[in-house]
Amino acid sequence: MQITPQQLAAFGTSAGIGIGAAIVMALLGMLISWSMLQNLIDSADLSEPLTNLNFFHRLGVYLALGASGSITAKMGMGGSVVGSASASVPLSWIGYALAIGCAFGAFLMARRAAIRFRWVGVVSAFAVGIVSGLVMLLLTAIMRYSYTEDTNFITVSGATFRTFAMVFVLATVGALIGYFLADTTADESNVFTAAWTWSHRVRGFRRTVVETAACYVVVSTVVALIVMIVASSKMSGLTSGAGPLWAFLPLVLPALGAWSVVIGSFGAIEFGSTGASPISISLFGSDAMATFDYTWALWLMFVLYLLCGFYVALRAAARNAYDPYYADWRFCWQAPACWLAFWLITPYLFMAVQGGGGGISSSSGMTYQIVPALWFCLIAALWSFIIEVVARLLGPTVIQSLTGIWPVLVGGTVRPGLRSTRHDPHEVVFAESVTMAAQAGVASATEAFATPVPGAPQAPVRGGISAMPRSGDSLIAPAVPGAATVAATRKPMSPKTKMWLIIGGVAVGLVIILSIVFSALNSSTFSASATAKQYIAAIESGDFNGANGIAKPQVKNDQMKLLSNDAVPKEGRISNAQVIREKANGNSKIVTVSYTLDGKEVTHDLKMIKRGSKALFFTDWGVAEPMTTTIFVSKPEAISALAVNGVEVTEKNAKGTDNGIWSFTVYPGTYSVSAGKSKYLTSEASQIVASGDESSSDSRTVLSVEATDALTEAIQQKVNEKIDECEKSTDLEPKGCPFSAYSYGDDKNMRNFTWSVTDYPQVEVDTDYGTFQTDYGIKVKYTYEYRSSDGWEPNDGSTTLSAMSGIFSVDGDKLTIELDDSDD
């Protein structure tokens, strides 16, 4: 292939503008960071060699790092190298300026020199990359920093293979974009408007990728700026001298945006270094965030990027209304595959902080890297696939429901315009004419085909939208000029024949109409799915009695108490109940329904059986297995009744009881369980989510109750009465009482015992087991007479009150107390 002077001028101009743009952006970054970096050096009281870094040394470092290249440093003593280090940072404004500058120059010169994208443009783009890489390598080598003192030295240079490779990639990609846009949008004057026009004319997954990238770049840039502001403020408050964090803004801003997208989309940023355990930052927290405690901010980023994805999906849905060909499901894999490849390749190339260093004479060294997790490519592909699914399933419904958002989404449609800018004069040119279909915001696209030039060969159109087959296209057969007109003479029908034909036609029409009506009713109103939909709609609306009429729960009458309208959850019923599919199962059918409960989607299979006929001709479908589930309540022994959603239930209403655990049959929903109203016990309501999964921990709860003052006082009074009764006894060992006297010798030698209790023991109540107990050690005095040789003489003594215990039960405001007789 011969290289023309125009082609040399094209890739020379492209490389020159690209390198110039990179230098300008590097100078801008230096202006932002110069004073702050200098203050950092001065505040740290750093002496040579850092103080000798002049303007050109810093520019060389900025050029190398800004293009995501690398810098190397070598240290020597006694004339020999003793150590080295290297570092690279993510792609920054400088690298973007390089790529955009190359694209601008390539676009400008390609239009003048009529350079086609294939193959001359591709070769020229590679030439631009090589020239740019060599020029950048030369500049960074010239601007390297070298410091020498006696036999010791330090050199810092950006002239590395990574610097050349990254500049080559950026310049080549930029030039390819410029040549491509010049070949496809020659009706624009510069690369920026050309890129805008192309992005609005492109179809299919490429448009989805472009819009996704644009939306996420805008939002992530704003997020990155906010992160920089917050981080600078936080760090400046922790330590002085941290304010120069802004000095790194030109280098780290794009990377922070990309990292925020990774974290906010369920990815992770991984920190790794030699000899240390890896650390990652994700939505689910990290030790690295302990200083700032801003995990909530990460979840806020997730919400922002979720809204971005939803917005892109709505724009894709609007575009599909104009361009239905690419709305087909067979194209839904393309955008996910593109993002999979992007996030598989770019993290280590353009988004990683990497470095390392060590001594030349030592085999050991230290390396570190901060990079998005490689597995995020799968997450990104999944997000893109979700966008494609939402655009096809949910997007049209949202657009039709919210007509006010159409002006925001109309920009996502394909704009009319030339598909290629360098047409052969004999080619057919296609144009699009776009028409709004309705005021509701639903658009349709039609295409008007230009008439070919008479006598010109009809060459195939490159990139034309009409070149794609589309559903709904029809061919209209043209009339043939000069064709003979054939007229047939027919015998007129008799009135009787006409009458029978009319009767027959009406009869056939009625049969067809009745068949259609029968089929429609049998598959809709009287279908198994219709009955299932009516059933779940009753549960969703809170009409439990109506649901019982459709499918009677298979429980005893006493166990129906929580399946009535009285127990309907005021909040926390199922929502979004719908029929997903219907599948034949012999003489029965399995209807799969879904609903949302507690923020989770639940699916359930309903078995439908034939119960006979309805309206003579239609099948009467019934629910064979009701959509009930079981909840479990572990209750204290002290209570004999519960309040579930305000309905009092007892043991007879339970489906089963086992070691204090009561189970109840309920419909799916959220249920509040408490001990009910009682002046003796109080309890906080516990929530149970009956989703249908009886093994889930959400379907069971442990009810805790606390004794009120009224309960303690009632039991205390019962204990006091027992002690008062025992105090009246005249026996040595009062029966059933918590005190007695010990006798030496024959009990007949003692009489007339009197007991005196000055204090009552305090009661302690255990509501979990329905028991109570008193403390012990209360002093009890007594007097008596004993027989001596001189007759009956008075005497006294004392003992201690033993602990008293018992059980109690509460049924509403009814309290039952039983003292333990074995305490005597």
Side-chain angles (χ1 to χ4, degrees):
M1 180 178 63
Q2 183 178 3
I3 300 177
T4 64
Q6 293 85 355
Q7 294 169 2
L8 288 173
F11 68 73
T13 302
S14 176
I17 295 177
I19 294 294
I23 293 175
V24 170
M25 291 304 297
L27 291 173
L28 178 61
M30 288 178 61
L31 290 176
I32 296 175
S33 62
W34 185 278
S35 61
M36 289 184 284
L37 283 175
Q38 194 62 46
N39 290 337
L40 180 62
I41 294 174
D42 295 340
S43 63
D45 195 21
L46 297 175
S47 58
E48 295 181 343
L50 285 180
T51 54
N52 290 336
L53 283 170
N54 61 29
F55 175 85
F56 292 102
H57 298 150
R58 300 186 188 189
L59 180 59
V61 171
Y62 260 85
L63 285 173
L65 293 180
S68 195
S70 63
I71 60 172
T72 59
K74 292 183 179 180
M75 290 75 67
M77 296 179 63
S80 301
V81 177
V82 296
S84 65
S86 64
S88 64
V89 297
L91 187 65
S92 72
W93 293 349
I94 300 168
Y96 286 111
L98 171 66
I100 294 173
C102 291
F104 183 88
F107 179 88
L108 184 66
M109 299 304 295
R111 292 178 76 250
R112 294 180 181 178
I115 298 177
R116 301 299 296 267
F117 180 67
R118 299 176 183 176
W119 287 97
V120 177
V122 174
V123 174
S124 298
F126 274 91
V128 170
I130 293 174
V131 170
S132 299
L134 292 175
V135 171
M136 186 67 74
L137 205 62
L138 179 62
L139 289 175
T140 52
I142 294 173
M143 298 177 185
R144 73 169 187 163
Y145 171 69
S146 180
Y147 173 80
T148 303
E149 182 180 359
D150 297 331
T151 58
N152 303 328
F153 64 89
I154 294 177
T155 60
V156 179
S157 174
T160 63
F161 174 77
R162 178 181 173 90
T163 300
F164 169 80
M166 296 307 299
V167 171
F168 168 77
V169 171
L170 292 171
T172 302
V173 171
L176 284 172
I177 292 173
Y179 286 124
F180 172 76
L181 292 177
D183 194 44
T184 55
T185 54
D187 48 338
E188 298 295 343
S189 60
N190 60 77
V191 73
F192 302 105
T193 57
W196 177 269
T197 300
W198 176 83
S199 66
H200 285 75
R201 291 176 180 171
V202 71
R203 304 167 64 204
F205 81 97
R206 292 173 296 174
R207 179 62 175 274
T208 303
V209 170
V210 169
E211 292 200 342
T212 303
C215 184
Y216 276 76
V217 164
V218 171
V219 176
S220 64
T221 301
V222 175
V223 170
L225 286 172
I226 295 174
V227 170
M228 288 292 292
I229 294 172
V230 174
S232 297
S233 175
K234 190 72 175 180
M235 293 186 68
S236 62
L238 292 175
T239 177
S240 60
L245 181 65
W246 280 105
F248 301 99
L249 177 64
L251 293 178
V252 303
L253 180 59
L256 280 180
W259 291 356
S260 72
V261 171
V262 173
I263 296 174
S265 302
F266 287 114
I269 303 298
E270 296 181 339
F271 296 73
S273 61
T274 304
S277 300
I279 299 174
S280 64
I281 293 180
S282 68
L283 287 175
F284 304 100
S286 169
D287 294 338
M289 297 299 293
T291 303
F292 301 106
D293 192 22
Y294 281 159
T295 304
W296 61 268
L298 303 183
W299 283 100
L300 181 59
M301 288 193 301
F302 164 73
V303 174
L304 288 175
Y305 293 129
L306 183 66
L307 293 176
C308 285
F310 187 66
Y311 174 66
V312 172
L314 291 182
R315 288 175 67 93
R319 184 171 68 255
N320 289 340
Y322 279 83
D323 190 10
Y325 175 72
Y326 283 104
D328 196 279
W329 282 99
R330 69 178 183 272
F331 298 112
C332 68
W333 63 271
Q334 294 175 324
C338 181
W339 286 116
L340 175 68
F342 176 84
W343 286 103
L344 187 63
I345 296 172
T346 57
Y348 281 91
L349 283 179
F350 302 120
M351 302 178 191
V353 176
Q354 301 181 81
I360 299 298
S361 59
S362 175
S363 60
S364 63
M366 188 273 291
T367 60
Y368 65 88
Q369 67 176 9
I370 306 173
V371 65
L374 192 61
W375 48 263
F376 178 70
C377 62
L378 301 175
I379 303 296
L382 178 60
W383 275 108
S384 181
F385 180 72
I386 292 173
I387 289 175
E388 295 285 347
V389 172
V390 172
R392 287 165 170 79
L393 298 181
L394 183 60
T397 303
V398 173
I399 294 174
Q400 294 177 15
S401 303
L402 305 175
T403 58
I405 66 173
W406 180 253
V408 182
L409 305 178
V410 69
T413 57
V414 179
R415 294 189 178 183
L418 295 175
R419 291 298 167 190
S420 180
T421 60
R422 304 197 181 278
H423 290 289
D424 189 282
H426 298 296
E427 285 184 339
V428 182
V429 179
F430 292 90
E432 294 175 298
S433 61
V434 181
T435 314
M436 295 298 296
Q439 296 179 356
V442 181
S444 62
T446 61
E447 296 177 344
F449 298 90
T451 305
V453 179
Q458 298 186 16
V461 179
R462 298 184 303 275
I465 189 170
S466 58
M468 293 294 186
R470 300 192 312 170
S471 60
D473 287 347
S474 60
L475 299 177
I476 302 176
V480 182
T485 303
V486 180
T489 303
R490 298 180 180 178
K491 183 179 180 180
M493 296 183 182
S494 64
K496 187 176 182 179
T497 303
K498 289 182 178 180
M499 181 186 68
W500 282 111
L501 285 176
I502 292 173
I503 294 174
V506 171
V508 171
L510 287 175
V511 171
I512 293 174
I513 292 173
L514 289 175
S515 299
I516 294 174
V517 171
F518 176 82
S519 299
L521 291 176
N522 198 41
S523 61
S524 58
T525 306
F526 298 99
S527 66
S529 294
T531 302
K533 189 173 183 179
Q534 182 184 3
Y535 181 60
I536 60 176
I539 299 175
E540 181 179 21
S541 64
D543 185 12
F544 285 2
N545 293 340
N548 295 338
I550 298 174
K552 185 177 180 180
Q554 301 168 352
V555 296
K556 300 177 181 178
N557 288 335
D558 290 336
Q559 299 169 6
M560 291 282 293
K561 200 165 186 179
L562 296 181
L563 297 171
S564 66
N565 287 356
D566 296 334
V568 171
K570 301 298 184 293
E571 297 179 358
R573 293 200 299 267
I574 65 172
S575 60
N576 301 324
Q578 56 184 328
V579 173
I580 299 179
R581 58 182 174 270
E582 177 182 311
K583 181 175 66 175
N585 185 26
N587 293 327
S588 62
K589 289 188 176 182
I590 301 297
V591 176
T592 303
V593 299
S594 71
Y595 56 86
T596 301
L597 180 60
D598 193 35
K600 300 177 182 178
E601 184 177 357
V602 182
T603 58
H604 184 86
D605 289 338
L606 289 175
K607 184 178 181 180
M608 312 297 293
I609 58 173
K610 298 178 180 179
R611 297 189 302 189
S613 60
K614 183 183 293 185
L616 296 178
F617 302 103
F618 303 102
T619 302
D620 183 15
W621 290 97
V623 181
E625 299 173 355
M627 198 171 70
T628 57
T629 185
T630 304
I631 60 175
F632 303 87
V633 181
S634 178
K635 69 168 199 65
E637 294 290 339
I639 58 176
S640 57
L642 299 172
V644 180
N645 281 357
V647 177
E648 183 179 286
V649 289
T650 60
E651 186 174 359
K652 70 177 182 179
N653 305 122
K655 176 182 178 181
T657 58
D658 183 18
N659 294 327
I661 301 177
W662 289 1
S663 59
F664 299 93
T665 302
V666 297
Y667 284 115
T670 302
Y671 292 85
S672 176
V673 183
S674 65
K677 295 181 180 180
S678 173
K679 68 178 182 179
Y680 296 113
L681 294 172
T682 61
S683 66
E684 293 185 0
S686 299
Q687 299 295 323
I688 294 181
V689 180
S691 62
D693 183 5
E694 297 178 4
S695 62
S696 172
S697 60
D698 293 336
S699 66
R700 56 192 68 229
T701 188
V702 178
L703 187 63
S704 297
V705 297
E706 294 183 0
T708 64
D709 292 340
L711 176 61
T712 304
E713 291 173 0
I715 297 177
Q716 184 71 58
Q717 182 179 356
K718 185 74 172 179
V719 169
N720 295 350
E721 291 175 355
K722 178 65 175 179
I723 294 175
D724 291 342
E725 180 182 347
C726 291
E727 192 178 14
K728 298 176 182 179
S729 175
T730 59
D731 294 335
L732 172 66
E733 297 179 353
K735 186 177 181 180
C737 295
F739 51 79
S740 62
Y742 183 76
S743 64
Y744 297 93
D746 193 350
D747 293 346
K748 295 179 179 180
N749 294 327
M750 290 180 288
R751 67 178 186 179
N752 296 334
F753 273 84
T754 60
W755 299 92
S756 176
V757 181
T758 57
D759 295 317
Y760 294 108
Q762 297 298 314
V763 171
E764 295 181 0
V765 179
D766 187 341
T767 55
D768 290 337
Y769 296 97
T771 61
F772 63 87
Q773 187 174 3
T774 66
D775 54 8
Y776 60 92
I778 300 295
K779 191 173 183 180
V780 179
K781 297 180 180 181
Y782 59 89
T783 63
Y784 64 96
E785 293 179 346
Y786 72 95
R787 180 183 295 175
S788 66
S789 59
D790 297 330
W792 292 96
E793 296 181 5
N795 204 348
D796 58 19
S798 64
T799 185
T800 55
L801 196 70
S802 60
M804 303 175 65
S805 61
I807 60 175
F808 68 92
S809 62
V810 176
D811 185 2
D813 289 337
K814 181 182 178 182
L815 175 64
T816 303
I817 303 174
E818 296 181 12
L819 284 166
D820 191 351
D821 291 337
S822 63
D823 294 332
D824 55 339

